[in-house]
Amino acid sequence: MKKVAILMGSDSDLPIVSKAMDTLASFGVPYEAHVYSAHRTPAQAQSFTASARDCGFGVIICAAGMAAHLAGAAAANTTLPVIGIPMKSSNLGGMEALLSTVQMPSGIPVATVAIDGAVNAALLAVEMLAISDDLLAEKLAAYRAEATRKVLDKNAAVEAKYNI
């Protein structure tokens, strides 16, 4: 099975990014996490992403706030799918990171999830890997079925309490 690379611009992103790691682990998807900044460690970020395919990775998740250039810098150096997680900031609440991540130029796509959307980034990575992995696709179907069951259980509780 291909691995998922998780890059974050700062270790301050770890509380949110750890949700992606937990999600990947729950599906049995191997991953590596690294702190590389598009601005402070550009050579290391470039070297890692340029060699990611040869190192057994299938998807790269990048979390960054403010200018949020990490996902775009990663995508410029690989043909692997890159998923950007715009991180919330104290300045503009993450809108600056969202707009930076989603506004990639033609030819260098970055899939973008919600601000602090680490779980969805991991699920999207799992979906990408599941294209060629039937066991992973089955795990995704079971995950979705469980999510459906949970919502329907909550609906039944609300209906029982509030519908006269």
Side-chain angles (χ1 to χ4, degrees):
M1 176 184 298
K2 297 282 186 180
K3 301 180 287 185
V4 175
I6 302 173
L7 309 181
M8 58 197 109
S10 168
D11 67 344
S12 65
D13 299 329
L14 194 53
I16 297 298
V17 173
S18 66
K19 296 174 185 177
M21 295 180 217
D22 293 344
T23 301
L24 292 169
S26 74
F27 282 93
V29 174
Y31 64 87
E32 288 183 17
H34 302 275
V35 177
Y36 292 130
S37 167
H39 304 107
R40 295 179 297 273
T41 59
Q44 292 83 357
Q46 189 277 334
S47 176
F48 181 86
T49 54
S51 64
R53 183 182 298 277
D54 291 338
C55 292
F57 292 96
V59 180
I60 299 173
I61 295 173
C62 294
M66 303 184 80
H69 292 136
L70 185 57
N77 291 300
T78 186
T79 56
L80 291 175
V82 175
I83 303 166
I85 306 171
M87 301 300 292
K88 186 178 277 185
S89 70
S90 59
N91 296 335
L92 299 172
M95 283 301 296
E96 72 284 24
L98 174 64
L99 294 174
S100 179
T101 306
V102 79
Q103 290 293 335
M104 293 302 303
S106 294
I108 309 294
V110 171
T112 308
V113 295
I115 296 168
D116 288 352
V119 171
N120 273 354
L123 289 171
L124 184 55
V126 171
E127 289 175 347
M128 290 173 177
L129 295 176
I131 291 169
S132 60
D133 185 324
D134 291 340
L135 179 58
L136 204 49
E138 290 173 18
K139 289 179 181 180
L140 272 168
Y143 174 87
R144 293 275 181 98
E146 178 63 13
T148 298
R149 187 197 59 77
K150 286 179 181 179
V151 171
L152 292 176
D153 288 350
K154 290 176 183 181
N155 176 61
V158 168
E159 287 177 353
K161 184 173 181 177
Y162 296 104
N163 292 353
I164 300 175

